[in-house]
Structures are given as structure tokens and as C-alpha cells.
Amino acid sequence: KVSVPMAELLSSPLGGTDFQPQAEANGQPRRKRPAPPKVPVAVIREAMERVLQADPPTGESLNAIATKLGCNQTTLQRRCSDLAEQVKKNYLACRTARMAARVREVEAQVRTLMLELHQAGIYPSQAKLREKLWGRIDMREPSALAAWKKVLSELYPATA
């Protein structure tokens, strides 16, 4: 806090005695945020090992584990760096597998709908697919667009 009136702030130089640090009642400077709770290392190790040993793998992130324990992600990394690296690798592997499964699902749905439209005598345009896929898949997704182009080249080889 400044102990000088506001009008004098503009016209006079301030010295070190004009400032006083803000402090709590105990005389300590106030922290901007509370310190994270002290979580025992055994509890951290158990939570991380449980995630790593789950069958099938849950792919839980380090941040999710930290949130459940009520601490920060950096706390987990500092106290159990070896397990933290394994959790990160596990999360990345599960996420990659989920993304690959999503791509396969999108390609299969686009292919099925395009073949249905073609057999009904309707040109399988993106607009027609958007109508059928409404809310499930966006045709701007790279995997959906690539599948559409691939099936289109199979159905109409002269235009590709």
C-alpha cells in the first residue's frame, strides 16, 4: 500500500518509506493462491500404479490423476517421475488408439452411406452425406473427406 495521497503521487518522487508490503495477520506476505495439500507419496504411487495396471487400459491422463488426488500435475512429476512418464506414455498410446478407431468408424459410415445413395440412384455428394450424417460426423473432418474422395473415385473412376 502507498501511504501518500493520490494528488502527491503525480508531483513528488516516492521513497522506500512510502511503501508498506501487504501482509497477513501473522506477518507473512500473502500468497496469491493456496499451497496444494500435502499428498503422501504412497498415495500418489498407488493411484498411478492403479491406472497403469488397469485392464483394459483406461488411458487416464496425469492431470486427471492429479485432480482426483487434489494436487497439481507437477507434484506427481516431482515425487514419482518414473511413474509419471509411464502414465504419459500410456495416455498417449490410448489416445492414439481411440483416434485410429474413430477414423475407421468414420470411414466405414461414410462408405456405407455413399454406397446406399449410389444404389438408390442418387449422386453421393457431400451435401447428401451431411443430411444423412447430421450430428454424428462432420464432412470437414479430414478422415471423412478422404473416405468420400476414395469411395467417389471407386464409384466414378472416369471423373477422378
Side-chain angles (χ1 to χ4, degrees):
K1 290 185 175 182
V2 180
S3 61
V4 178
M6 294 299 280
E8 291 182 27
L9 281 177
L10 298 173
S11 62
S12 64
L14 298 176
T17 58
D18 295 323
F19 293 95
Q20 58 185 166
Q22 292 182 342
E24 294 292 323
N26 62 4
Q28 294 293 320
R30 196 170 34 151
R31 288 181 60 105
K32 292 186 180 182
R33 59 186 165 107
K38 300 289 183 192
V39 181
V41 176
V43 174
I44 292 174
R45 289 191 86 76
E46 179 203 341
M48 293 170 77
E49 287 172 351
R50 191 177 334 116
V51 168
L52 290 172
Q53 294 171 356
D55 188 38
T58 58
E60 200 168 352
S61 68
L62 200 58
N63 191 32
I65 297 170
T67 302
K68 284 182 182 176
L69 293 175
C71 62
N72 296 326
Q73 185 174 335
T74 53
T75 303
L76 302 182
Q77 290 173 329
R78 263 186 285 119
R79 294 188 181 173
C80 301
S81 59
D82 55 334
L83 288 175
E85 287 302 316
Q86 290 176 12
V87 168
K88 287 179 189 179
K89 288 177 185 175
N90 183 32
Y91 172 73
L92 187 60
C94 288
R95 186 169 181 266
T96 303
R98 281 195 308 265
M99 288 172 55
R102 165 84 175 145
V103 167
R104 286 191 303 271
E105 176 188 335
V106 166
E107 289 172 350
Q109 287 184 2
V110 167
R111 179 176 208 64
T112 303
L113 283 174
M114 284 185 74
L115 292 175
E116 286 176 10
L117 288 172
H118 180 70
Q119 289 171 353
I122 302 170
Y123 180 77
S125 66
Q126 286 188 26
K128 293 286 184 189
L129 286 177
R130 272 192 211 103
E131 289 174 15
K132 299 278 187 181
L133 294 170
W134 186 80
R136 293 182 291 174
I137 297 172
D138 188 0
M139 285 305 294
R140 291 177 292 185
E141 269 185 54
S143 58
L145 188 59
W148 177 75
K149 288 179 179 179
K150 182 180 178 186
V151 175
L152 201 61
S153 67
E154 292 171 6
L155 293 175
Y156 306 99
T159 59

